[in-house]
Amino acid sequence: VWEREKIEAWVKSFKGEETHVISFINYKGGVGKTTTAVAVAEMLAQEERKHVLLIDLDPQTNATVTLVTEEQWAEMDKNGRTIAQLFDDRLNPQNPPKFDIERAIARRVSTINDGIARLDLLPSSIRLIDIQDRIPMIALSGNFTVNPLEILRVALLPVIDRYDYIIIDCPPSLGTVTKNGLRISTGYVIPTIPDIVSTWGIYQIVDLSLIHISEP
């Protein structure tokens, strides 16, 4: 007896197929960034039958509460099953780590058909608001051996090969949390609306993305 997902991941790895990691980002709110990211993830999983992981890096948690109920989110946040706990563990290396990637990922999420079988979620938390500004200080800790920009990549290593696509909903900033997303991205999408303000940050995003996507 074989587990289908493990076999599919092995076949994909054997074929040398790369997981597509796409970040959705814009400095400006209200441009449909989260709505577009969630819709693309749902369509890839439901219509194209791809295995998809949506990572919510935005402390506003809009993508998270779009795909799971607020009660589910509150329970996950309470138990350290959010992206905030991942960064919090790195900020406090003297404490036993609480984050476990296998437990943190919510399976079969979405309000469509009571959940989409191939769509998973790594949820965010409003606790990221307090944590994100302290993340650069991790590099000053003598007990920390991983680049602060590599935290997300290292955490995903055990599971990334299971997915055809990873969709990342980035916060409206270019801080360390966003850079963690860009670091592992193979591409990115900048949703805009027909106004000047939503396009102001495009060149900065493009320049920063070229740096972090091209670096090993």
Side-chain angles (χ1 to χ4, degrees):
V1 177
W2 303 90
E3 292 186 32
R4 180 185 178 116
E5 288 193 358
K6 290 184 179 180
I7 296 302
E8 287 178 341
W10 178 84
V11 170
K12 186 177 78 167
S13 176
F14 181 77
K15 290 180 178 179
E17 296 179 14
E18 182 181 20
T19 299
H20 303 283
V21 184
I22 305 173
S23 285
F24 285 70
I25 181 174
N26 195 320
Y27 281 155
K28 175 92 166 48
V31 297
K33 171 180 65 67
T34 296
T35 301
T36 305
V38 171
V40 168
E42 289 179 326
M43 286 188 288
L44 284 169
Q46 178 78 2
E47 303 299 328
E48 300 299 324
R49 302 178 66 82
K50 301 296 184 181
H51 289 89
V52 182
L53 173 65
L54 190 145
I55 300 176
D56 189 358
L57 290 183
D58 193 336
Q60 297 181 74
T61 71
N62 289 329
T64 296
V65 297
T66 298
L67 293 171
V68 298
T69 66
E70 291 186 14
E71 292 75 17
Q72 287 175 294
W73 168 80
E75 184 68 20
M76 288 186 289
D77 193 32
K78 177 182 176 182
N79 294 324
R81 295 169 55 196
T82 71
I83 203 76
Q85 188 64 56
L86 168 64
F87 290 105
D88 189 66
D89 283 353
R90 302 307 188 192
L91 283 167
N92 298 283
Q94 73 279 5
N95 298 329
K98 296 180 181 179
F99 183 83
D100 182 323
I101 189 69
E102 297 287 358
R103 290 183 62 253
I105 292 176
R107 320 284 178 182
R108 194 186 176 96
V109 297
S110 181
T111 57
I112 298 172
N113 299 330
D114 295 322
I116 299 175
R118 297 170 184 81
L119 179 57
D120 295 344
L121 167 71
L122 183 54
S124 187
S125 168
I126 57 175
R127 292 193 297 123
L128 261 181
I129 295 174
D130 297 325
I131 292 172
Q132 58 187 356
D133 291 336
R134 293 187 287 131
I135 295 173
M137 301 300 294
I138 289 174
L140 301 178
S141 171
N143 296 323
F144 194 74
T145 58
V146 178
N147 186 322
L149 301 183
E150 294 280 294
I151 295 172
L152 182 60
R153 185 188 68 81
V154 172
L156 289 174
L157 286 176
V159 301
I160 192 169
D161 287 339
R162 300 178 190 173
Y163 298 100
D164 300 300
Y165 287 87
I166 292 180
I167 304 297
I168 303 177
D169 185 29
C170 295
S173 70
L174 286 180
T176 307
V177 172
T178 298
K179 290 176 182 178
N180 266 263
L182 293 177
R183 188 79 160 189
I184 63 171
S185 296
T186 56
Y188 57 92
V189 175
I190 308 174
T192 63
I193 57 177
D195 70 2
I196 294 176
V197 178
S198 68
T199 64
W200 277 349
I202 288 179
Y203 293 107
Q204 288 175 292
I205 293 170
V206 170
D207 290 344
L208 187 67
S209 299
L210 289 173
I211 293 171
H212 289 289
I213 291 176
S214 62
E215 285 181 354

